[in-house]
Amino acid sequence: MKKKIIAGNWKMNGDTASATEIVEGILDAANASSHDVVIAPPFVYLSSVAEKISDSKIRLSAQNLADHESGAFTGEISAKMLSDVGCTYVLVGHSERRQMYGETNTVVAQKTALALSNGLTPILCVGETLEERESDQWKDVILAQINAVIEHCGIEIFQETIVAYEPVWAIGTGKSASAEIANEVHEFIYYTLTSKSDKIRPSLKVLYGGSVAADNSAQYMSQTYIDGVLVGGASLKPSVFSEIIRSVE
Ligand code: PGA
């Protein structure tokens, strides 16, 4: 059986004290899990969190990375720096980056390539807006997001790149996609990718994200094409995130 992934995206929340509290509060659940637990704190807390989780099974992710290798890009953080401070994963193309910071499919593809060439596992976020879902464009939107990455990086990178399906209308809204809707999109993503290369079939993982909570995580996890969850708000509450970790069989 493929190991599942339970990832927590803290977004721009918290401080030193709350970062410590979250890590300490999820250690037991994470260490007892037979799946992979990943947390994505804000950049400035990565080093201190890395130290706190060094003896645990929790893995570290960043929430974003620069679209250049290094140089005069004031305020940016490179993939190499993230590896250097202990990250093994990085979120790429989160919808908040795409919508609020103008990240195009091309930029997302460049970032994916940089993550991989610096030893990080990208968690590539894709997903449609409410308008795109209601006008039945979700397949085209997701295909364009995925194809830009394939064109730039090749299909084989999906042997080591995780995909996260995050319908924009379900993020932070409390309106999660039903497990059936999510599974339908996951199946579409799975066959879109595996039809292009057999090699990625055994390892491909597609996570669901969007208002995941303690009372719905098990439903997602039990779907055939869902290999884990990417949790936002609920990952800031250690008892709730622990419950989500424990909900995965
Ligand atoms: P949410 O966020 O769980 O708060 O909806 C999910 C995400 O943006 O990754």
Side-chain angles (χ1 to χ4, degrees):
M1 202 191 70
K2 266 194 249 177
K3 264 194 191 180
K4 299 206 188 250
I5 296 181
I6 304 101
N9 171 12
W10 296 2
K11 307 193 180 183
M12 195 175 73
N13 290 297
D15 52 23
T16 305
S18 67
T20 306
E21 198 187 313
I22 297 172
V23 171
E24 286 174 356
I26 64 171
L27 273 178
D28 287 349
N31 285 336
S33 175
S34 47
H35 300 281
D36 292 329
V37 176
V38 178
I39 51 175
F43 286 133
V44 291
Y45 301 119
L46 287 172
S47 290
S48 61
V49 169
E51 224 168 275
K52 289 187 184 80
I53 62 176
S54 61
D55 291 332
S56 80
K57 283 169 68 180
I58 304 172
R59 295 288 165 264
L60 194 62
S61 175
Q63 300 174 13
N64 183 29
L65 74 162
D67 56 353
H68 288 84
E69 195 76 61
S70 66
F73 300 99
T74 302
E76 292 294 306
I77 309 281
S78 73
K80 199 171 172 196
M81 293 169 187
L82 299 176
S83 291
D84 186 38
V85 298
C87 289
T88 45
Y89 295 84
V90 60
L91 303 184
V92 185
H94 189 281
S95 65
E96 285 152 19
R97 303 291 322 166
R98 293 178 188 262
Q99 295 205 310
M100 294 188 254
Y101 298 94
E103 286 192 13
T104 61
N105 286 342
T106 308
V107 167
V108 172
Q110 286 160 351
K111 291 187 173 191
T112 305
L114 282 166
L116 287 162
S117 62
N118 285 281
L120 297 166
T121 300
I123 301 178
L124 171 67
C125 303
V126 299
E128 79 286 1
T129 62
L130 184 59
E131 210 184 340
E132 290 159 349
R133 170 147 290 268
E134 285 175 344
S135 56
D136 210 22
Q137 283 176 284
W138 62 268
K139 282 188 181 164
D140 295 338
V141 171
I142 292 171
L143 269 183
Q145 291 169 337
I146 287 176
N147 282 339
V149 174
I150 297 174
E151 270 161 38
H152 189 76
C153 310
I155 183 72
E156 312 278 284
I157 62 133
F158 287 94
Q159 288 178 92
E160 54 213 333
T161 296
I162 295 163
V163 181
Y165 169 55
E166 297 213 305
V168 178
W169 47 274
I171 295 178
T173 58
K175 265 196 249 160
S176 54
S178 70
E180 290 71 29
I181 287 187
N183 196 50
E184 184 193 8
V185 181
H186 282 234
E187 186 178 3
F188 171 73
I189 294 171
Y190 180 84
Y191 284 107
T192 298
L193 292 172
T194 57
S195 68
K196 295 182 198 292
S197 165
D198 272 347
K199 283 197 195 150
I200 62 177
R201 199 179 298 269
S203 54
L204 179 64
K205 286 184 187 166
V206 186
L207 316 183
Y208 169 76
S211 297
V212 173
D215 62 359
N216 63 18
S217 58
Q219 269 167 279
Y220 291 117
M221 294 293 194
S222 63
Q223 302 295 315
T224 315
Y225 295 97
I226 299 187
D227 304 302
V229 285
L230 177 52
V231 186
S235 72
L236 296 168
K237 300 177 196 130
S239 61
V240 177
F241 195 56
S242 294
E243 248 188 275
I244 294 173
I245 296 169
R246 291 194 185 101
S247 73
V248 191
E249 295 294 319

